[in-house]
Amino acid sequence: MGDYDRYRQRVEALLADADVRLGGERDWDLQVHDPRFHARVLGEGSLGLGESYMDGWWETRSLDGLLLRLIQAGLGNRVYGAAEVADGVAAWFVNRQRGRRSYEVGERHYDLGNDLYQAMLGARMVYSCGYWRNADSLDAAQEAKLDLVCRKLGLKPGMRVLDIGCGWGEMLKFAAERYGVQVVGVTISREQAEYARRLCEGLPVEVRLQDYRKLDGRFDRIVSIGMYEHVGVRNYRTFFRVARRNLAADGLFLLHTIGSNVSRNRTDPWIAKYIFPNSMVPSAAQTTRALERRFVIEDWHNFGADYDRTLQAWRDNIEAAWERLPERYDERFRRMWRFYLAGSMASFRARRLNLWQIVLSPEGVPGGYVAPR
């Protein structure tokens, strides 16, 4: 028996545990177009799986359906590539979210081009989970999420609000227009900062291109939506220390973040290489350790199942828009983006990832906090 046959049999056995067949007829079965696939995925793990898809070495009719079954079967824990081992070791010794590295995700992901995100995200440029409780469209779900945040923070006219990781400024605009507050937003993406300034022109909004660690002011309320995933476990305590330093004694801090069921010190190597460099999904344990002695947890709201629906809407939008987008978003980029969205859907659908909104106060709300839903 040759190496190819051995590799193929090993891959077949692993996939069988996930109810996936090589060359099968079901939507989630895997069709191999290049015989090098088997050795590559066995030797390189998730990085090899993602890159071989980008290279067109395999196909499936339901990418999210396939990846869901691989995740549910725990195959990622049984196939480790060299890149995963090296990445895990490096994470112990290198703070990948400090100094110049802290700007890398802005330059490589958020600065890809506003045209891509405008096509994908809908009427509001909100790159985080929508709130679908009473919504029937992506735009309605994103507006409901923004309003939920404002209600949880108890915003009132004249308050001074800080948005750590303000993205393209939709939260800044919404809070200033609907609730009459003054808002300061910080981002590490130049494209986002420029867009947000144009979006919020004429409103009491200041947008800064700034590392959150440099913040030094006093705010009645603080919000951070979809930024904590880029902070890194070595910097969680610093993140909460900065938030506490800038928050009034009677203030509230709302943290909106993806969360993992398991504590890790690194991210998936394919995600790190192609999508979110230096990112890291936090666990509840890592988060509570970091905020200990700094904040009282007033509310912890998990609506992670809503992220699968949000991602499906983003996929529908971007698939309808590819032909209108510039040629730099070529076929390999499209396959990369499809793998990213499908893998994210699968992770939330399998409930390996969650979406948390955590409301914090410095000393506890007198009489207790009543959480809007």
Side-chain angles (χ1 to χ4, degrees):
M1 182 184 293
D3 288 342
Y4 168 77
D5 291 325
R6 283 196 296 271
Y7 295 147
R8 189 180 192 282
Q9 287 183 4
R10 174 62 176 151
V11 170
E12 277 186 321
L14 287 167
L15 293 178
D17 290 344
D19 188 29
V20 175
R21 299 171 192 156
L22 287 177
E25 297 179 355
R26 299 168 300 178
D27 285 350
W28 62 86
D29 285 333
L30 196 153
Q31 317 299 324
V32 176
H33 300 314
D34 192 306
R36 294 173 292 175
F37 164 78
H38 308 100
R40 186 174 185 180
V41 74
L42 289 173
E44 299 177 6
S46 66
L47 183 63
L49 182 69
E51 287 188 332
S52 61
Y53 180 78
M54 292 166 61
D55 292 339
W57 287 16
W58 61 273
E59 194 59 80
T60 180
R61 289 198 298 269
S62 176
L63 188 54
D64 53 309
L66 167 66
L67 296 177
L68 173 65
R69 285 162 176 79
L70 301 186
I71 290 170
Q72 289 175 325
L75 295 193
N77 298 322
R78 296 165 61 186
V79 181
Y80 286 96
E84 291 171 90
V85 175
D87 196 64
V89 172
W92 285 107
F93 298 101
V94 179
N95 188 341
R96 293 177 166 176
Q97 296 82 19
R98 289 197 66 181
R100 182 68 195 139
R101 290 174 182 266
S102 67
Y103 286 83
E104 189 174 354
V105 68
E107 295 164 353
R108 287 179 50 192
H109 187 80
Y110 296 108
D111 288 348
L112 279 171
N114 288 339
D115 50 6
L116 175 72
Y117 295 108
Q118 284 173 315
M120 185 175 78
L121 299 180
R124 291 189 180 275
M125 292 272 279
V126 179
Y127 197 15
S128 56
C129 182
Y131 188 51
W132 292 85
R133 187 176 191 180
N134 297 308
D136 58 5
S137 69
L138 175 64
D139 294 338
Q142 292 296 11
E143 182 160 329
K145 186 266 297 298
L146 295 176
D147 195 60
L148 180 67
V149 169
C150 293
R151 289 188 290 118
K152 285 182 175 181
L153 287 170
L155 297 188
K156 297 178 182 177
M159 282 184 171
R160 192 162 186 252
V161 179
L162 170 66
D163 185 347
I164 303 176
C166 65
W168 288 277
E170 292 287 353
M171 181 66 203
L172 308 177
K173 184 175 187 288
F174 188 91
E177 286 184 337
R178 301 285 184 92
Y179 286 85
V181 296
Q182 303 172 37
V183 197
V184 173
V186 296
T187 177
I188 56 171
S189 164
R190 191 172 302 279
E191 289 271 352
Q192 287 185 335
E194 292 174 357
Y195 185 98
R197 288 178 184 130
R198 292 193 299 269
L199 180 73
C200 299
E201 190 174 358
L203 294 170
V205 172
E206 177 188 357
V207 180
R208 303 176 185 173
L209 187 67
Q210 181 181 30
D211 189 301
Y212 72 94
R213 282 164 283 223
K214 304 284 175 93
L215 286 164
D216 190 14
R218 180 64 58 181
F219 297 88
D220 301 296
R221 299 289 189 267
I222 298 178
V223 60
S224 185
I225 300 175
M227 178 271 183
Y228 186 53
E229 300 91 322
H230 304 297
V231 169
V233 67
R234 286 174 171 265
N235 305 299
Y236 291 157
R237 291 190 66 81
T238 297
F239 177 81
F240 287 108
R241 183 169 65 247
V242 169
R244 179 65 187 88
R245 183 180 72 212
N246 286 274
L247 185 61
D250 61 350
L252 291 172
F253 172 30
L254 186 144
L255 177 65
H256 173 116
T257 182
I258 296 170
S260 171
N261 297 328
V262 179
S263 297
R264 295 186 175 88
N265 71 329
R266 62 177 178 83
T267 194
D268 175 85
W270 186 87
I271 288 290
K273 182 175 180 178
Y274 290 101
I275 306 298
F276 294 116
N278 308 323
S279 64
M280 191 178 301
V281 177
S283 72
Q286 291 168 329
T287 299
T288 54
R289 278 197 300 270
L291 62 81
E292 190 172 311
R293 296 179 185 241
R294 291 191 171 87
F295 287 103
V296 173
I297 299 173
E298 299 288 357
D299 184 52
W300 196 304
H301 183 190
N302 183 358
F303 52 98
D306 285 18
Y307 225 140
D308 181 19
R309 194 169 175 183
T310 302
L311 286 154
Q312 290 181 53
W314 290 347
R315 179 181 61 183
D316 291 346
N317 284 347
I318 199 65
E319 289 297 337
W322 283 128
E323 301 309 317
R324 304 194 308 269
L325 292 175
E327 291 183 359
R328 69 176 182 274
Y329 303 119
D330 60 13
E331 182 60 23
R332 194 166 193 268
F333 181 94
R334 295 181 192 188
R335 292 181 71 85
M336 176 192 78
W337 209 252
R338 287 170 182 146
F339 193 84
Y340 154 53
L341 293 177
S344 300
M345 286 178 219
S347 296
F348 284 100
R349 198 175 305 161
R351 300 310 304 279
R352 299 301 192 271
L353 293 180
N354 307 287
L355 190 286
W356 299 325
Q357 283 192 351
I358 309 169
V359 178
L360 307 169
S361 67
E363 302 293 342
V365 175
Y369 174 83
V370 178
R373 291 288 187 271

